[in-house]
Amino acid sequence: QVQLVESGGGSVEPGGSLSLSCTASGDIVSVGVMGWYRQAPGKQRELVATRTSGDTINYGNSMKGRFTISRDNDKHTVYLRMNSLKPEDTAVYYCNADRVGQADGPGIKWHFDVWGQGTQVAVSS
């Protein structure tokens, strides 16, 4: 079974920092684009940041300059460092992989649009 296992998150005061990590598990051989999305109460899910295995990065507009996405391809892990957090950053943050290749005998079984369970980030004073 392929899973994206998230860790990190929590509560912080405005101006503080938090880090998230997400690891693909389940006899993984390859992962495509990995990234983070978030959803605040009553709002649609939005892009936070994505990073390809070739290090092409894309950030949501309100995250540029404050958030940094990094990735360890060997560990199939993506990280998100969030600085200068604001109350409006409060949301559930979800890890996503556009495709995950799982060892399947002599071949690879591909899983598409895989999501983590979500981790809460709360920014308040």
Side-chain angles (χ1 to χ4, degrees), residues 9-110:
S11 298
V12 67
E13 293 185 348
S17 299
L18 284 173
S19 294
L20 307 178
S21 66
C22 169
T23 299
S25 65
D27 206 9
I28 307 302
V29 297
S30 178
V31 184
V33 181
M34 297 187 78
W36 297 91
Y37 294 77
R38 69 185 186 186
Q39 188 166 20
K43 295 187 176 182
Q44 289 188 328
R45 192 170 294 189
E46 64 172 342
L47 167 71
V48 176
T50 60
R51 187 164 183 149
T52 70
S53 58
D55 295 334
T56 298
I57 295 172
N58 186 31
Y59 288 106
N61 287 334
S62 64
M63 296 76 175
K64 292 178 182 178
R66 299 189 300 125
F67 291 9
T68 302
I69 187 169
S70 59
R71 178 169 173 167
D72 186 330
N73 291 327
D74 292 336
K75 295 181 179 179
H76 308 305
T77 298
V78 66
Y79 307 92
L80 185 70
R81 176 64 177 177
M82 302 180 289
N83 296 325
S84 303
L85 283 162
K86 306 174 182 179
E88 51 265 41
D89 294 317
T90 295
V92 177
Y93 285 67
Y94 295 93
C95 180
N96 174 266
D98 72 338
R99 68 184 190 279
V100 180
Q102 181 183 34
D104 184 19
I108 299 174
K109 179 179 181 181
W110 291 97

